Structure formats: structure tokens, C-alpha cells
Amino acid sequence: SHQPIKQPAPNKKDQRRAAQRIWIEYRHANCLFYGLGEGTIARIEAGSCMLTMTEARARELEGLGRQ
């Protein structure tokens, strides 16, 4: 019988890095939606989306750092 290969448990730092990479991809995909509109306002809305999401994420990570 084959024993399953034991994967090392992810440490908190590696897991946070992986989550952050995925979050950045999500932010880009989410905010790109706004950038697909017409004209200058679409670029402004996309930029605003990036800023708003980034500020919220920074607050979230700050809170996690206190745990």
C-alpha cells in the first residue's frame, strides 16, 4: 500500500504571501471591470477602485498583524 506523501504544513508567512498574490490578482480583475468603460471617467473609476481596495486591504492586514 502506498503511503500519501506528507506535505509540510504551510507556515504563516508563506500562506500570507500566497494570499496576497491571489488578492492582487483579484484586485486587478475587479478594478479592470471599471476601466473597461468609456473615456477618461473609466480610468478615474479604475484608479479609485485600486486605491479603495488597497486601503481596505492595508487596514485588514494591519488588523491581522495584531492577532
Side-chain angles (χ1 to χ4, degrees):
S1 70
H2 292 291
Q3 292 293 324
I5 297 171
K6 288 193 175 186
Q7 296 292 332
N11 67 39
K12 209 168 182 176
K13 186 177 174 184
D14 289 342
Q15 190 60 37
R16 184 174 53 237
R17 192 177 298 125
Q20 188 63 6
R21 266 196 310 269
I22 293 165
W23 180 84
I24 288 168
E25 289 178 24
Y26 165 71
R27 180 191 61 184
H28 282 286
N30 189 53
C31 294
L32 177 63
F33 173 79
Y34 292 98
L36 294 175
E38 295 294 320
T40 305
I41 193 68
R43 288 198 308 274
I44 292 169
E45 287 175 344
S48 177
C49 174
M50 294 282 278
L51 183 62
T52 301
M53 287 189 72
T54 302
E55 286 174 342
R57 181 65 174 166
R59 284 192 303 273
E60 180 183 7
L61 291 174
E62 194 175 282
L64 290 174
R66 291 193 198 113
Q67 291 179 358

